[in-house]
Amino acid sequence: MLTFHIKRFLPFKKLATFKTIWYKNKRTMYSNEAITHKEMQVVDLRSDTLTKPNALMRKAMFEAEVGDDVMGEDPTVMALEKKAASLLGKEAALFVPSGTMANLIAIMRHCNQRGSEIIVGDSSHIFKYEQGNSAQIAGVQLRTLPNKVDGTFDLCELERNIRGDDDHEPVTALICVENTHNLCGGKALPLDWLDKLAHIANLRGIPLHMDGARLFNASVYQQVPPSRIVRDFASISFCLSKGLGAPIGSLLVGSKQFIKGARRSRKALGGGMRQVGIIAAAGLIAIGESWTERLTKDHARALKIAHAVVNLQSKKITVDIQNQHTNIILLNIDSKYMNAQEFCQRLSTVTDQEKTIFGNKLVIVRAYPKNESSVRLVTHCDLTDDDVDAAIQKIKSVIQELES
């Protein structure tokens, strides 16, 4: 066995610097020694949650005027909430620690009867990545519809799944969508689809909630204000700590009456924070005047990476360039040759051949394996043009190696 021979001839510490990656029936050994080299460039494309507060945010945080937010006395938080509500064309907003909490609070307020049901997409964050907290905490069950590749679901199927007339069944109390849609590759939901969805919901008297973690990316892509996208939604959550670049926090937005109740639910969940204006100050910078420019740059960089992959004309690793919307790129991996986890491992490894070809320009790229056959790359505001070029160099090198 290869592992046996490595153990015989290498000290244990040296063994830790090697990985074995499979290409069909061939094993190739890669050294990771160079990862600690001072010339190593690390480009982290795992998520846009990785960003650090910029100088303007840090200054605002240092100088923030604060008060007790649980008592409604933090002026910086109040300014942030007012700004968020205005941007979305709603009456009020609530600052909370996370998008998961914002979504849960929305579910708790809309579904005020235990045993209610909400309809969500089967690839939605609410369904897949929030620990089933709607059932765990709110006593609400999820009914899923298959998400299409554009992040939508079939509206005829939606109508068939709305329940409430039968005493044996739960009552459909809420419909949730995600925009942009993470697992569908950062897709901005079509405006005409949202309009049709709203028409159905209004006829049935069912409120709509949007998990808008990356809502502002959708706004930039569709070149419409966020208020247009969420016009018909009773509640919206959005994250400050993703593409907008703030370190912490999300906003839940809706009517004054809805937010009044949401404040009570936040307290019950332990989300009441005191002199939190220190954090809210960064959020005010994040949704200030420059967010459109920042996100436009992120989208352009994602498109540049996507085009670089497409131009290789690989059959083993592809990108759907026609549906590249925002800052998330999905690489489709033919797992007959290499699975997504192995591809990510290879991106984070430097070979002796790369040392020979690229000299001191050594790069590792961190990426996220979405599943067996798909890798997610996410651009964000902490990247530079040089980072993007280096990432392209590395990704092309690995794909060309696989092709050969």
Side-chain angles (χ1 to χ4, degrees), residues 112-311:
N112 51 21
Q113 179 178 334
R114 292 182 68 83
S116 298
E117 183 172 79
I118 67 176
I119 296 177
V120 297
D122 65 351
S123 294
S124 67
H125 195 279
I126 287 174
F127 175 61
K128 293 183 73 74
Y129 299 126
E130 298 184 8
Q131 276 197 19
N133 58 17
S134 56
Q136 219 186 128
I137 298 168
V140 176
Q141 86 173 20
L142 302 180
R143 188 174 184 86
T144 61
L145 299 178
N147 277 117
K148 298 180 180 181
V149 293
D150 64 354
T152 66
F153 42 74
D154 186 278
L155 294 179
C156 292
E157 192 69 17
L158 168 70
E159 291 191 89
R160 284 193 288 270
N161 280 274
I162 291 174
R163 303 200 283 183
D165 295 333
D166 190 325
D167 288 345
H168 299 87
E169 297 179 344
V171 175
T172 302
L174 183 65
I175 300 168
C176 300
V177 301
E178 183 177 331
N179 196 16
T180 64
H181 201 293
N182 173 20
L183 289 186
C184 292
K187 300 297 189 300
L189 303 185
L191 292 174
D192 62 342
W193 183 84
L194 292 175
D195 292 344
K196 292 172 185 175
L197 170 67
H199 178 70
I200 294 169
N202 288 338
L203 287 176
R204 304 298 289 268
I206 302 171
L208 296 173
H209 171 70
M210 181 178 289
D211 175 1
R214 296 180 175 89
L215 169 65
F216 288 76
N217 293 88
S219 173
V220 167
Y221 174 75
Q222 294 174 325
Q223 299 182 6
V224 297
S227 57
R228 165 61 186 94
I229 298 172
V230 304
R231 182 185 63 196
D232 300 311
F233 282 74
S235 60
I236 310 97
S237 64
F238 72 86
C239 287
L240 297 167
S241 57
K242 291 188 169 71
L244 293 173
I248 304 169
S250 289
L251 274 297
L252 179 61
V253 185
S255 69
K256 287 181 181 178
Q257 189 66 27
F258 175 81
I259 294 301
K260 181 180 179 181
R263 185 174 291 274
R264 286 186 58 82
S265 296
R266 184 186 70 175
K267 182 65 175 173
L269 295 174
M273 300 177 284
R274 301 293 178 176
Q275 287 72 27
V276 75
I278 292 173
I279 298 171
L284 274 170
I285 301 297
I287 59 173
E289 295 180 357
S290 62
W291 62 267
T292 304
E293 179 184 345
R294 291 200 313 273
L295 295 180
T296 299
K297 187 177 292 185
D298 290 346
H299 295 184
R301 286 170 169 167
L303 189 60
K304 184 177 182 179
I305 294 171
H307 273 298
V309 174
V310 169
N311 290 341

Side-chain angles (χ1 to χ4, degrees), residues 280-346:
L284 274 170
I285 301 297
I287 59 173
E289 295 180 357
S290 62
W291 62 267
T292 304
E293 179 184 345
R294 291 200 313 273
L295 295 180
T296 299
K297 187 177 292 185
D298 290 346
H299 295 184
R301 286 170 169 167
L303 189 60
K304 184 177 182 179
I305 294 171
H307 273 298
V309 174
V310 169
N311 290 341
L312 291 175
Q313 298 183 331
S314 171
K315 301 297 184 184
K316 299 173 183 175
I317 299 181
T318 60
V319 171
D320 181 4
I321 197 70
Q322 300 302 320
N323 287 301
Q324 178 62 44
H325 286 191
T326 57
N327 66 323
I328 297 176
I329 310 127
L330 291 184
L331 301 182
N332 303 305
I333 314 290
D334 187 337
S335 55
K336 293 196 302 290
Y337 303 96
M338 173 186 279
N339 66 36
Q341 182 68 43
E342 291 167 340
F343 184 77
C344 290
Q345 288 174 345
R346 178 62 189 88

Side-chain angles (χ1 to χ4, degrees), residues 90-110:
K90 303 298 180 183
E91 294 178 343
L94 182 68
F95 186 46
V96 298
S98 71
T100 295
M101 182 179 285
N103 288 333
L104 178 57
I105 291 172
I107 291 168
M108 291 171 69
R109 299 318 303 177
H110 289 301

